[in-house]
Amino acid sequence: MCGIVGYIGVKDARSIILEGLKALEYRGYDSSGLALLDKNEFKIYKDKGRIAHLCEITDYSFETHVGIGHTRWATHGMVNYDNSHPHISNNKRFILVHNGIIENYRKLKIDYLSDYNFYSETDSEVIVNLIEFYSKKMCTDSAIRKAMSKLEGSYALLIVDNENPDVIYCVKNKTPLILGMSNDGVTIASDIIAFPKDVNKYFIFEDQRIAIIKQNDVKIMDLMGFEIKPEFKDLKLDEYNISKGNYDHYMLKEIEEQPDVIRRIITKYFDDDNAVIDYKLIDAINNSDKINFVACGTSLYASFMGKYFFEKLCGIPTECFVASELVYSNPLMTKKPIFIFVSQSGETLDCITVMKKYKQQGFKIISITNSVESTMAHYSDFVLDICANTEISVASTKSYTASIAVMSILAKAVSNKKTNLKNNLNRVSQVIEDIIVDLKPLVKDMAKKIQNSKAIFYIGRGIDYWAGDEAALKLKEISYINTDSYSSGELKHGTIALIEDGTPVIAIITQEGTNSIIRSNLAEAEARGAKGYVISLESLAYSKDDIIIPNVAHYLTPMVSVVVCQMLAYYVALYKNNDIDKPKNLAKSVTVE
Ligand code: M6R
């Protein structure tokens, strides 16, 4: 996790880095810091807390054109001043910011740095001292390459040197780093959205590379010191619109963007009623004997709908895997599986690790992602864009519905069957609009009723149960209420023991075949003191149901039921005065194992 930004150029480095860090705060917000060149020496400002606090403690009294900055999601050590970045080497020559985790940092300390003092508990402070250690015998870039050769783990590093202050060195392995050029300077950051508006060219830094960056000169080398020519791409930054507009929170803005996102997907992937997907991708799926979805969190819950589409529409056996579980286990594979990774960010390390593992074994890889320039996209044979535009709120919303929409289109294209999918997706976008406008008062009312609960349960069956998984994740991550989702049939096998007087149990009912059985299961919970709530589809609704959603095609209902639950989570968190876009302990992009 963590976000890093560096700038070297003619403009004010301080404001470019602080603005960049604000844009990267979604990656972690435990502490922050920066190092700015004042004449011939770097000055460091850092503390626990957010970028707003860093802005307050930064000195604005000097001109500065070179600097590096960091926003932290703590991995090694408490959230405090000492563990905040930048870190400085013992002789005060090198200063560094780090995103990633060095797995062998304890061993490196023992093997090379036993004479060094350490002022933090971080793995990052080991790197900066290792660079100092080698710099005593060689030039700076060789010292950095030598240090890199000893590091095991993931890292994106920006390093500055007080003895040669007009240069930023950057290196990377497994953790994202992007370099952007404008006419008057170079910015390096964890994500494009941290770039200033005038960046017009960029390139994605490859693993095991070092860049030596001067104001108008970028030199890239591999670990052996051989120069590599970077391939720059043009950049239109309006595509990365990250303003909050009139909204108080990104989350609500992103919930309300969903109808537009779905329409954008329809425009991109349909030609009349035909789904337009690269025929090589279709062939690759048709030539496989099983589809394996791999994802985490919200993207995992969206993947269950992918499984549903591919099995129902295409008759292809499909399984969904939790990415982190596949890192260490080796489930039996069929002869010709194909892997579909679903990831909003395209930077989730658990997914990347699994992706590399199965790519090495020669299997074809598809990514469904919101970041077509991401690491995952880079390693994939095929990439499908979910067209959701930047998602800032830590709680994913639009990427869930967008991923499901793209998976449904892919399954349709593979099946080559005539379906009414385009109209049905259009209908979904209209219904989400209706939910946002018409159902908001009811959702707010329900949020008020459940806001002080100790625990909440979502129940459903089949696709309503999968929607419940996502609904529960949304509610727990921003309201901090212990929320879980169960197949309603499972309640009586243990969980019902947790029902106390007034415990909210929210049933999602959108499928005809399971309507009455879910209601019976809810009644069983109510008989034991639960306060039951029902979110149902109009055609199946009872008049006393709490939230009734206009009808959509039966196989797309999670795209609408979850929107109600996203709004419910939002208003519960709002009434509890929680930090909605940046919930505690979390970060948007999970780039650690
Ligand atoms: O970027 P990804 O889709 O790979 O992220 C996966 C999860 O970390 C993410 O969905 C997480 O669960 C969200 N915070 C949920 O709202």
Side-chain angles (χ1 to χ4, degrees), residues 481-546:
I481 298 173
N482 195 339
T483 312
D484 255 316
S485 154
Y486 287 91
S487 152
S488 66
E490 258 313 276
L491 270 192
K492 58 184 175 296
H493 294 287
T495 309
I496 206 160
L498 298 175
I499 300 293
E500 291 176 0
D501 262 359
T503 304
V505 176
I506 307 169
I508 300 178
I509 300 174
T510 69
Q511 304 297 306
E512 199 173 355
T514 49
N515 186 2
S516 48
I517 187 65
I518 301 175
R519 290 180 191 276
S520 302
N521 296 144
L522 182 63
E524 287 156 13
E526 284 172 326
R528 285 149 183 89
K531 170 73 187 97
Y533 295 90
V534 177
I535 298 170
S536 60
L537 203 65
E538 201 172 358
S539 56
L540 308 174
Y542 291 10
S543 57
K544 65 176 179 30
D545 288 351
D546 300 271

Side-chain angles (χ1 to χ4, degrees), residues 296-299 342-346 348 394-396 473-474 477 590:
C296 308
T298 292
S299 296
V342 183
S343 173
Q344 187 283 130
S345 62
T348 302
V394 165
S396 297
L473 176 62
K474 250 5 23 122
E477 73 178 326
V590 186

